Amino acid sequence: MTTVTLPAHVLADPEHILVREVDKTYPGASARALDDIDLVIRRGEFVSLIGPSGCGKSTLLRALAGLEPIDTGSITIYGATPREACSQKAVGLVPQTPALLPWLTVRQNVELPGKVNRAASKRRAHRQGMGASSVGRTDPDELLDLVGLAEKRDAYPGELSGGMQQRVAIARAFGLEPDVLLMDEPFSALDEFTREAMRLHLLSLWQRMRTTVVFVTHSVREAVTLSDRIVVMSARPGRIHELIDVDLPRPRDREVLAGPGLHAVEDRVRDSLQRAWDSGAVPSDLVPA
Ligand code: ADP
């Protein structure tokens, strides 16, 4: 298990998401869903959580979203508790299936939450004050262009495929400019071909917006393609088995993604998953990721 000892200056640093010594056991469960989880996530980092079913990925994501109480330890998101961060609309959640409003067009779906979310505007203004380039940052047309749906802007969700609908949902989530975006297997309902295209769209969006993302996946390829760092978890109890840096250059264009570097990192992640699997008391009804 990897344990991170946090120096005092990091604890006081509003630039990090800090997960410290977190334990969580569901009532009646025989093993901890989360056991002594320590994790530090930098602002703007793309981090994936991967591991066998039942290793606590979703529990950790929900805890970050303030939706799951923890037994011991602490979680802070840039100095705020998860609940505070959520109430300030600083945390966005992209679920496995898109929840679009069927009576609004694609463009209206992307644009609406931003219109009513004053917190996003305030953060944008703050960033502008800090000198960050945000010209046209949340322009719905630009967001739709980045996910390859510029031509569908006037269509209704019912006229789109599942993959297209999920792209709209992801564009909308980025458009709200949360400080951190939590994504729980957002491509799991899609076929492999569509997933591959989705990864490229997500890469373009992230490259543009640089939102901090915590991404749950079962796919090694997905984790390596997208992430700066991969958290490999093991089950029963749910622990961090290893943190793996993905030292592939960005932007991750097709050339990078077709190169030998990608396969080398994939092999490292697969080895780590195998070791996590070997070390865990995994019940026989669970299958490896
Ligand atoms: P993962 O997302 O990695 O598949 P989860 O976070 O869903 O793992 O689950 C971690 C462990 O906690 C598993 O053993 C699971 O059965 C258990 N668990 C998850 N949610 C609940 C719940 N609401 N009540 C009881 N046990 C749960």
Side-chain angles (χ1 to χ4, degrees), residues 122-228:
K122 275 189 195 160
R123 277 196 300 281
R124 191 161 57 246
H126 177 65
R127 269 199 290 265
Q128 273 168 337
M130 286 166 43
S133 161
S134 59
V135 178
R137 223 173 164 177
T138 52
D139 174 24
D141 291 319
E142 186 190 358
L143 290 166
L144 286 171
D145 195 32
L146 285 166
V147 295
L149 287 175
E151 287 175 10
K152 298 286 182 188
R153 63 196 291 273
D154 297 321
Y156 287 87
E159 301 170 55
L160 305 182
S161 68
M164 287 177 178
Q165 290 187 24
Q166 191 62 319
R167 274 190 264 166
V168 178
I170 290 170
R172 179 180 60 183
F174 272 92
L176 277 166
E177 297 195 10
D179 285 334
V180 55
L181 203 48
L182 308 173
M183 306 179 85
D184 192 0
E185 298 197 62
F187 307 151
S188 61
L190 306 173
D191 62 79
E192 186 51 32
F193 180 77
T194 311
R195 281 179 88 128
E196 205 168 315
M198 295 293 288
R199 283 172 211 147
L200 295 176
H201 288 302
L202 180 53
L203 274 174
S204 315
L205 258 181
W206 182 84
Q207 191 68 36
R208 177 81 174 91
M209 309 294 285
R210 295 299 173 117
T211 306
T212 310
V213 175
V214 184
F215 187 91
V216 169
T217 181
H218 275 99
S219 161
V220 173
R221 171 64 51 92
E222 206 153 271
V224 175
T225 301
L226 296 168
S227 311
D228 295 309

Side-chain angles (χ1 to χ4, degrees), residues 1-6 19-23 34-40 49-50 60 229-234 237-245 268 272-273 275-276 279:
M1 191 189 67
T2 308
T3 302
V4 180
T5 306
L6 301 172
V19 180
R20 300 190 67 226
E21 298 175 3
V22 166
D23 293 337
L34 298 176
D35 183 49
D36 199 19
I37 301 290
D38 270 317
L39 186 62
V40 180
L49 310 179
I50 194 166
L60 180 54
R229 216 150 41 109
I230 298 174
V231 181
V232 178
M233 297 181 70
S234 54
R239 285 184 175 156
I240 294 181
H241 174 72
E242 191 176 359
L243 302 174
I244 296 179
D245 286 321
R268 272 193 69 195
S272 183
L273 280 167
R275 276 183 274 113
S279 69

Side-chain angles (χ1 to χ4, degrees), residues 24-29 31-34 50-62 68 184-185 216 218 233 235-236 238 283 286:
K24 160 88 187 177
T25 308
Y26 287 102
R32 283 181 177 171
L34 298 176
I50 194 166
S53 296
C55 70
K57 302 181 293 293
S58 299
T59 302
L60 180 54
L61 205 75
R62 289 202 305 271
E68 194 72 70
D184 192 0
E185 298 197 62
V216 169
H218 275 99
M233 297 181 70
R236 302 188 66 78
L286 298 179

